[in-house]
Amino acid sequence: MKPPFRQALGIIRQLKQHGYEAYFVGGAVRDLLIGRPIGDVDIATSARPEEVMAIFPKTIDVGSKHGTVVVVHEGTAYEVTTFRTDGDYEDYRRPESVTFVRSLEEDLKRRDFTMNAIAMDENGTVIDPFAGREAIARRLIRTVGKAEERFREDALRMMRAIRFVSQLGFSLAPETKQAVIDNAPLLAHISVERMTMEMEKLLAGPFAGEALSLLAETGLCAYLPGLVGKEEGVRRAAACRWGWLTAREERWALLCRALGITESRPFLRAWKLPNKVVDETGAILSALEAVPHSDEWTNERLFLAGLKRALSVETVRAAYTGTPPDSSHDELRRRFAALPIKTKAELAVSGKEVIQWIGKPAGPWVKETLYAIWRAVVNGEVENEKERIHAWLTERNRTQGNGC
């Protein structure tokens, strides 16, 4: 048994010693069967939450009402969830109630996709009542039971299905895909925050292009923030090289570029993204606009952008055009390394010194003067030394005759 499961065996064994059933479930089992890296290991058990908390000395009640308790075992936290069935769903988002049961199969039956409705016991034996392994072998995403029922229970499952396309490179089973098309309007009941989480995972997946095509093909994009009427833009986005991107902000910038969005802030805020992401994405797009081609980086533009952002700009440009970014990245690194200063903080003079030299009260002119100084330094017109800058500034003011 692989290490992530081996480390959690103590929980399974203790539950069984107390007379309860316990199994590994969910994404970790799925990824083991697919051959992907295994993330968090989750456990399902016939023990009730209060029984789990009575067995283990260190637990955290993160949702006992819905059956979930975190057990800290040998320094690692594991979610342990009681077998349960869900009651009727409210507003296509959440069950109004849950009922704890003693049956593993009843618990697996409530899950979204057959590949996620697989369990494994302590000996590595797989329990697969809904043919999840067959779906994995056929690289299909198929719902447990009728797709329409699963999507009407929680409409976000439609986005999850397409997100798994992006992450795994699987296809939607025909009946699952048709149910997405038929039930796409139900996505309107889902909170923006939940949709954003799925969208970000989708954009980061190795098969993001295929997933974006499905968003347009199924009509799901019409119910996502800012994408109404943007099907063609989503298809353009699908043709981009998403695998070349490494940063969250780069992915949102590429999506905006493909959609033809020039004012990114309202679009990004509609997704309720953090201000830091909104600001940096906007800065990347602004730099793309200011530098239409990779060979048009001036020293000033490179200095203002900084190396990290400049590289992001070229990565987004490359992903959009399909031209590998390696050569432009190498050139930007070389040129940035050659700049006499890399940040404004490295300037050899301060605003206070400029005021002393000119002998005028502080005002907007100080910022303007510092701007002129760093431009001159970056462009090689004057060395970044206090005395030389003083002399350059004195001569500049003399020839301009403005006293500042």
Side-chain angles (χ1 to χ4, degrees):
M1 186 167 287
K2 291 197 173 183
F5 296 102
R6 192 182 308 129
Q7 291 157 7
L9 275 176
I11 297 176
I12 299 272
R13 289 170 177 164
Q14 285 191 60
L15 286 165
K16 293 191 72 175
Q17 286 170 7
H18 285 78
Y20 302 108
E21 292 182 51
Y23 303 89
F24 299 113
V25 294
V29 178
R30 176 200 67 221
D31 290 342
L32 174 68
L33 296 174
I34 292 174
R36 295 178 78 222
I38 297 165
D40 294 337
V41 172
D42 296 329
I43 294 167
T45 179
S46 59
R48 304 293 176 89
E50 64 273 14
E51 294 167 335
V52 173
M53 289 187 282
I55 292 171
F56 298 97
K58 191 169 184 181
T59 60
I60 305 168
D61 185 346
V62 294
S64 59
K65 178 182 176 183
H66 294 93
T68 301
V69 174
V70 167
V71 173
V72 181
H73 175 68
E74 296 181 352
T76 302
Y78 300 93
E79 282 195 1
V80 179
T81 303
T82 304
F83 299 158
R84 74 185 206 200
T85 60
D86 295 335
D88 293 335
Y89 277 70
E90 299 176 336
D91 300 327
Y92 312 100
R93 289 178 291 183
R94 64 178 73 85
E96 62 181 3
S97 64
V98 299
T99 301
F100 299 141
V101 297
R102 300 293 188 182
S103 166
L104 171 65
E105 185 167 337
E106 284 297 308
D107 181 78
L108 295 177
K109 186 187 293 185
R110 70 177 176 81
R111 296 174 185 264
D112 51 8
F113 307 110
T114 58
M115 64 181 183
N116 295 334
I118 306 173
M120 184 174 71
D121 68 13
E122 61 180 316
N123 300 312
T125 302
V126 171
I127 299 92
D128 179 25
F130 303 106
R133 281 185 296 184
E134 178 188 350
I136 288 172
R138 296 177 61 189
R139 300 177 66 81
L140 285 178
I141 297 167
R142 172 171 280 135
T143 58
V144 177
K146 293 182 178 180
E148 182 165 335
E149 291 180 4
R150 295 290 81 79
F151 295 154
R152 292 183 73 83
E153 288 170 349
D154 183 353
L156 189 70
R157 286 171 173 167
M158 293 184 287
M159 276 210 73
R160 279 172 55 81
I162 296 178
R163 183 254 289 181
F164 280 126
V165 169
S166 177
Q167 292 180 321
L168 304 178
F170 287 13
S171 300
L172 296 183
E175 69 280 6
T176 301
K177 182 178 178 180
Q178 187 59 49
V180 173
I181 294 170
D182 294 342
N183 292 278
L186 297 182
L187 202 61
H189 297 278
I190 301 302
S191 70
V192 171
E193 291 84 355
R194 294 182 73 203
M195 290 190 288
T196 299
M197 287 180 64
E198 295 297 329
M199 189 65 169
E200 293 211 289
K201 292 175 184 177
L202 184 158
L203 295 178
F207 303 94
E210 289 88 336
L212 286 164
S213 290
L214 275 173
L215 285 183
E217 184 181 348
T218 60
L220 212 58
C221 64
Y223 302 94
L224 295 173
L227 296 186
V228 178
K230 296 281 187 180
E231 289 82 2
E232 284 305 313
V234 173
R235 290 188 179 93
R236 281 196 301 273
C240 296
R241 303 297 185 91
W242 291 90
W244 293 353
L245 308 179
T246 58
R248 184 183 187 185
E249 295 83 0
E250 291 172 1
R251 289 188 276 271
W252 285 106
L254 179 57
L255 182 62
C256 288
R257 182 69 179 266
L259 294 173
I261 291 173
T262 54
E263 293 293 330
S264 64
R265 187 168 293 272
F267 174 74
L268 299 172
R269 289 205 179 281
W271 285 92
K272 297 191 176 179
L273 291 164
N275 288 336
K276 182 180 177 181
V277 175
V278 173
D279 292 343
E280 182 58 26
T281 301
I284 291 171
L285 289 167
S286 294
L288 265 172
E289 192 73 23
V291 187
H293 304 285
S294 58
D295 59 358
E296 294 184 21
W297 284 98
T298 63
N299 283 356
E300 290 178 35
R301 288 170 178 168
L302 185 54
F303 175 81
L304 284 172
L307 182 60
K308 181 180 177 182
R309 183 177 296 156
L311 292 175
S312 287
V313 168
E314 289 308 312
T315 300
V316 172
R317 191 197 312 279
Y320 185 73
T321 62
T323 304
D326 299 343
S327 59
S328 62
H329 280 192
D330 291 343
E331 176 64 12
L332 283 178
R333 289 190 181 96
R334 183 193 67 75
R335 288 188 53 196
F336 191 79
L339 290 177
I341 58 173
K342 309 299 189 293
T343 68
K344 292 177 183 178
E346 295 178 18
L347 199 62
V349 301
S350 66
K352 183 177 180 180
E353 288 166 320
V354 169
I355 292 172
Q356 291 174 345
W357 291 345
I358 304 301
K360 287 178 58 177
W365 68 269
V366 178
K367 182 178 180 180
E368 294 168 3
T369 302
L370 287 172
Y371 178 84
I373 293 171
W374 72 250
R375 284 187 63 204
V377 170
V378 166
N379 288 319
E381 298 172 23
V382 61
E383 292 182 45
N384 188 37
E385 295 178 2
K386 189 175 298 185
E387 293 78 9
R388 292 184 181 275
I389 292 173
H390 190 185
W392 175 87
L393 184 60
T394 300
E395 177 62 18
R396 171 182 177 271
N397 292 342
R398 185 187 66 79
T399 56
Q400 289 185 357
N402 56 15
C404 62

